[in-house]
C-alpha cells in the first residue's frame, strides 16, 4: 500500500507517493493556475496524483488514500471548502471533484495542520506527545498536536496564526 500526499498552494501543487513510514517513492509538482477556477485546479491535482503513482512504479489500486493540505479550511461534514482566501475559492466541493477522477478515500485539512501532523508522525517531533509547527510561505500557518492528536479548536481555525489580531 502507498499513500499520496498533495500540497495545494497559491502558486504551485506538489504531490508525492509515500509508504506508511513516510519514505518517498516519487514526487512532482505543477503550477496552480488559480485564475482557471477550482474545477481545473482540482483536476490537475488528481492528474498529478495519478502521474506520481505511475512514476513511482505503482498502480492506482495500491493507493490506500490521498491526503490534501489546503491553504484554508474544510467543513468535515460536507466535504466542502467554505472559503480559501489564497485561491479565491468559496463553497468548493473538493471531495466530490476529486472523486470524479480517483476512487480512493480522500482526506483534506489545512496545509499547516497536516504538515504539523506529518512532523509529529514521521518528522522532527516524532515520538513527542505535544508539538507546535509553524509554516512560512505565501502565508503564515500553524499546526498544533496535543497528546498525539490534531488540535484545531471549536471551529477548526484555532491554529490560523497568520490571521490573528495583535494590539
Amino acid at each position: 500500500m502507498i499513500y499520496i500526499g498533495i500540497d495545494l498552494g497559491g502558486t504551485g501543487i506538489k504531490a508525492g507517493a509515500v509508504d506508511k513510514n513516510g519514505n518517498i517513492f516519487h514526487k512532482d509538482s505543477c503550477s496552480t493556475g488559480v485564475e482557471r477556477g477550482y474545477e481545473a485546479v482540482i483536476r490537475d491535482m488528481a492528474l498529478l496524483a495519478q502521474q506520481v503513482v505511475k512514476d513511482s512504479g505503482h498502480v492506482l489500486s495500491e493507493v490506500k488514500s490521498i491526503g490534501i493540505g489546503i491553504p484554508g479550511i474544510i467543513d468535515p461534514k460536507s466535504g466542502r471548502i467554505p472559503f480559501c482566501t489564497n485561491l479565491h475559492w468559496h463553497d468548493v466541493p473538493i471531495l466530490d471533484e476529486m472523486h470524479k477522477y480517483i476512487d480512493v478515500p480522500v482526506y483534506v485539512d489545512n496545509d499547516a495542520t497536516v504538515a504539523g501532523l506529518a512532523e509529529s508522525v514521521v518528522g522532527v517531533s516524532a515520538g513527542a506527545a505535544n508539538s507546535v509547527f509553524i509554516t512560512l510561505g505565501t502565508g503564515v500557518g500553524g499546526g498544533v498536536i496535543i497528546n498525539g492528536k490534531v488540535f484545531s479548536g471549536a471551529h477548526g481555525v484555532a491554529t490560523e496564526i497568520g490571521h490573528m489580531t495583535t494590539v
Side-chain angles (χ1 to χ4, degrees), residues 79-160:
R80 299 175 82 86
I81 298 171
F83 64 93
C84 189
T85 304
N86 292 0
L87 303 177
H88 313 289
W89 287 3
H90 298 279
D91 195 31
V92 171
I94 190 167
L95 296 180
D96 290 342
E97 287 293 317
M98 280 296 289
H99 285 127
K100 287 180 181 179
Y101 306 99
I102 300 178
D103 188 28
V104 299
V106 177
Y107 302 94
V108 183
D109 207 334
N110 176 268
D111 53 2
T113 299
V114 297
L117 178 60
E119 286 297 330
S120 76
V121 174
V122 295
V124 69
S125 58
N130 306 305
S131 62
V132 175
F133 184 82
I134 298 173
T135 61
L136 300 172
T138 304
V140 179
V144 176
I145 308 300
I146 299 175
N147 294 323
K149 297 188 186 313
V150 169
F151 172 76
S152 296
H155 302 287
V157 294
T159 58
E160 286 289 318

Side-chain angles (χ1 to χ4, degrees), residues 10-116:
T11 59
I13 303 168
K14 300 175 199 92
V18 301
D19 66 15
K20 67 179 180 175
N21 297 316
N23 298 309
I24 301 170
F25 295 117
H26 187 75
K27 58 185 177 178
D28 204 346
S29 63
C30 65
S31 295
T32 305
V34 174
E35 68 283 351
R36 300 174 304 137
Y38 75 82
E39 295 96 341
V41 173
I42 294 171
R43 182 187 67 239
D44 284 356
M45 286 194 311
L47 295 174
L48 184 61
Q50 292 170 351
Q51 191 63 48
V52 165
V53 171
K54 180 180 174 189
D55 291 347
S56 73
H58 293 86
V59 294
L60 203 53
S61 62
E62 294 178 84
V63 175
K64 181 161 184 164
S65 62
I66 296 174
I68 302 172
I70 61 164
I73 60 170
I74 184 157
D75 178 347
K77 291 179 183 164
S78 69
R80 299 175 82 86
I81 298 171
F83 64 93
C84 189
T85 304
N86 292 0
L87 303 177
H88 313 289
W89 287 3
H90 298 279
D91 195 31
V92 171
I94 190 167
L95 296 180
D96 290 342
E97 287 293 317
M98 280 296 289
H99 285 127
K100 287 180 181 179
Y101 306 99
I102 300 178
D103 188 28
V104 299
V106 177
Y107 302 94
V108 183
D109 207 334
N110 176 268
D111 53 2
T113 299
V114 297

